[in-house]
Amino acid sequence: MQQLFDEPKSRYLLMVEDTASVAALYRSYLSPLGIDINIVGNGRDAIQSLAHRTPDLILLDLRLPDMTGMDVLDAVKEFNPDVPVIFMTAHGSIDIAVDAMQHGAQDFLIKPCEADRLRVTVTNAIRKASKLRNEINDSSSQNYQGFIGSSQPMQAVYRTIDSAASSKASIFITGESGTGKEVCAEAIHAASKRGDKPFIAINCAAIPKDLIESELFGHVKGAFTGAASDRQGAAELADGGTLFLDELCEMDLDLQTKLLRFIQTGTFQKVGSSRMKKVDVRFVCATNRDPWKEVQEGRFREDLYYRLYVIPLHLPPLREREEDVIEIAYSLLGFMSHEEGKSFVRFAQDVIDRFIQYEWPGNVRQLQNVLRNVVVLNQGKEIELSMLPPPLNEPAVKPATSSNVVSVSFGPQDIQPLWKIEKTTIEQAIEACDGNIPQAAKFLDVSPSTIYRKIQAWNASEKKA
């Protein structure tokens, strides 16, 4: 992977994390960035290390064995006020993380943190602190704000981000599943004037219908069963920064009405409260559907569509980025080989040819899964065609012509019940996604609840049998 900085190993990151396995995993996530990483397991060692070398960035766990992350932050700000600090916290400690930002932390990450999110956040934080904004805005660069690739379709994406980032206008990102819509939203935020403020993402498809309003707007103590204390929602957490609404077209129509009012006025009410709160957020939305078709079919409010669909930004599928496929594959191979302790460094020519010819219906996410499968299950220095999982390891099918069409008979004996075909397809998708049902649901273009419900029905049928 191309180094993101002028001098290899010139940037220094201090990671304060007491769980060794987590620290090792995050080190492997960041290794492709070419950063010197020092890991310490407690606050005392973290503070003492500041006297030996000033870090360009500190990743700081909120909970440490000898003191709190807030104590470490106070010490950092006393001796090195310009060093950016990013907190790492479990979901339940978001309120504490927001308080930490008010005391000088630059951002926070929710654990467990995915590799792409961690790399994008760290890269943006270091570049911002070292005044290298001109470098990250250079659209001719092969690495742009977490994206990899310099194809013409992606150059158009980079130009749109550069042009629109500084505006407060809402951006509506569309694209197939796996094309990197959240990475794109992060890039817009990082390149904007709000880049030093919070970036808060909420997935409208992953949160149950009866909880999403609370996740978006927060709630007061006693608002509903289980509301043991006041809680800030995504809207309040994003004040001054960017609110990213992923899979927006999955949002319930009733909540769409409240969201429209929030967008129009900048005010909202927590669940169970009569008090209005006002915030300043920039909206970035995303969907893998056609938003106008959703409007026409009555699933998405037309007035909300016009409010949010100000600057459309379409992410091209991987099959339209042929010259980027191998570049992305090599970048992922280097990272995954290091992470899994393997020695793979190259692809055989027939693998390269197959990658370029393949349609990649699951886009970059599918490419990630394929390479993870190969690296985990095989040994060697070169990825060979036989190592690839189906259907990539199968002979390429040539288009039929009038001279080579073969008639295949299909009779009643070949017909299977529809539920069996559906069950087989779903099971294969889950297996291809390493058991990740929400990810399989995205590839199948259904909601995760649909798959869970069908599995439950199949299991019940088998027990009866």
Side-chain angles (χ1 to χ4, degrees), residues 354-418:
R354 181 60 50 84
F355 278 5
I356 293 173
Q357 295 164 2
Y358 188 61
E359 288 290 295
W360 297 108
N363 296 295
V364 177
R365 188 181 293 122
Q366 183 186 9
L367 177 57
Q368 290 175 324
N369 291 342
V370 166
L371 290 175
R372 177 72 68 183
N373 175 291
V374 171
V375 170
V376 169
L377 298 180
N378 296 278
Q379 300 287 344
K381 290 186 176 294
E382 183 174 86
I383 303 293
E384 299 174 1
L385 190 62
S386 60
M387 297 177 181
L388 301 181
L392 283 152
N393 62 350
E394 298 168 359
V397 178
K398 296 182 179 179
T401 65
S402 58
S403 61
N404 64 12
V405 172
V406 178
S407 176
V408 178
S409 61
F410 185 87
Q413 73 277 5
D414 299 308
I415 300 174
Q416 294 186 53
L418 188 59

Side-chain angles (χ1 to χ4, degrees), residues 97-144:
V98 173
D99 183 54
M101 291 177 65
Q102 295 172 347
H103 286 80
Q106 179 169 311
D107 202 346
F108 67 89
L109 289 164
I110 304 298
K111 294 196 297 186
C113 182
E114 294 184 353
D116 286 344
R117 168 61 70 83
L118 182 63
R119 285 197 293 266
V120 169
T121 301
V122 166
T123 299
N124 289 336
I126 291 181
R127 284 174 166 171
K128 193 177 297 292
S130 59
K131 311 297 183 184
L132 293 178
R133 184 171 294 276
N134 288 337
E135 179 182 342
I136 64 172
N137 283 336
D138 179 10
S139 61
S140 65
S141 173
Q142 289 184 322
N143 293 281
Y144 178 92

Side-chain angles (χ1 to χ4, degrees), residues 177 250 288-289 439-448 450-451:
S177 293
E250 302 285 345
N288 61 3
R289 301 187 179 186
Q439 190 176 69
K442 279 197 170 186
F443 285 126
L444 293 169
D445 197 22
V446 298
S447 68
T450 298
I451 295 182

Side-chain angles (χ1 to χ4, degrees), residues 279-291:
V279 293
D280 171 30
V281 300
R282 198 267 183 87
F283 295 94
V284 178
C285 310
T287 182
N288 61 3
R289 301 187 179 186
D290 179 345

